[in-house]
Amino acid sequence: MARILSIDYGKKRTGLAVTDPLGIIAGGLATVATSDLFGYIKNYVERENVERIVIGEPKQTDGRPSENFERVRQFVARWKKAMPTIPIEYYDERFTSVLAHKAMLDGGLGRKARQNKELVDEISATIILEDYMRSMANKRVVPDSSGQKCP
C-alpha cells in the first residue's frame, strides 16, 4: 500500500500530515513555508510511496469558497500539471483549526504551545486526513456475515 498525504494550505505556512505506509494511521508530518511547499512535497513523493494527496478546501461556514480558495486552486492546478500520476483532491476543511485548538486543550498543552501556529497547522492537516480516511471507510461496501453487501 501507499501513503496518503494531506495539506492544510495557508497563505504563509502550510501544515502537512501523512498516513503510515499501510494507510491506517494519520500523523503530522511538518509545517513548511508555503513558498517552499511545492518543492517539499515533490521531494517527499520521490522518496516515499504516496498514492494520493488530499488538500483542504477552504470554505466559509455557509459553504462558499473562502478568500484562500484561489491560492489553493492555483496550487492544485500546478500539481496536476507537474505530477499527474499522483492525484490530488479537495476535502472540506471547515472548522479544522477550531478542532485543532480543542485537541491541543484536550491534550493538556499549555498556553504557549497552543499559540504555536505551526503546530496548529500540522494538527489541522492531521484532522483533514483523519476525516478523509473516515469518509472513505464509510463509503466502502463490505459483506456482512451472511454474505450480503452492507453500505
Side-chain angles (χ1 to χ4, degrees):
M1 276 194 88
R3 297 177 188 268
I4 300 171
L5 180 101
S6 72
I7 302 171
D8 180 34
Y9 192 97
K11 186 176 181 179
K12 295 179 183 178
R13 291 174 321 278
T14 296
L16 302 171
V18 68
T19 64
D20 64 294
L22 296 176
I24 299 170
I25 299 169
L29 176 64
T31 299
V32 299
T34 300
S35 60
D36 299 332
L37 179 64
F38 192 89
Y40 183 94
I41 294 175
K42 188 173 182 294
N43 288 336
Y44 185 82
V45 301
E46 288 171 354
R47 292 189 324 269
E48 298 289 336
N49 186 14
V50 175
E51 76 176 46
R52 76 181 49 254
I53 297 172
V54 177
I55 190 166
E57 182 176 16
K59 294 181 179 182
Q60 297 178 30
T61 54
D62 64 4
R64 291 182 298 134
S66 76
E67 71 171 74
N68 197 37
F69 179 74
E70 185 55 31
R71 287 185 286 271
V72 172
R73 188 197 64 73
Q74 289 174 9
F75 178 85
V76 169
R78 181 179 175 203
W79 182 264
K80 285 180 176 181
K81 185 175 181 179
M83 303 291 286
T85 59
I86 300 175
I88 186 169
E89 60 187 271
Y90 293 105
Y91 192 78
D92 190 348
E93 71 170 22
R94 282 180 285 184
F95 310 114
T96 55
S97 292
V98 172
L99 293 171
H101 282 287
K102 182 177 179 342
M104 293 169 86
L105 275 171
D106 292 349
L109 290 177
R111 174 181 272 208
K112 189 162 181 106
R114 291 192 313 265
Q115 292 173 342
N116 179 345
K117 292 179 181 181
E118 291 181 0
L119 182 57
V120 172
D121 294 338
E122 191 173 317
I123 292 171
S124 293
T126 305
I127 291 169
I128 291 167
L129 184 54
E130 288 172 339
D131 286 351
Y132 175 82
M133 292 168 61
R134 211 172 0 265
S135 75
M136 292 298 104
N138 290 338
K139 289 182 181 179
R140 289 190 199 122
V141 177
V142 294
D144 66 14
S145 59
S146 68
Q148 298 292 318
K149 292 204 175 190
C150 301

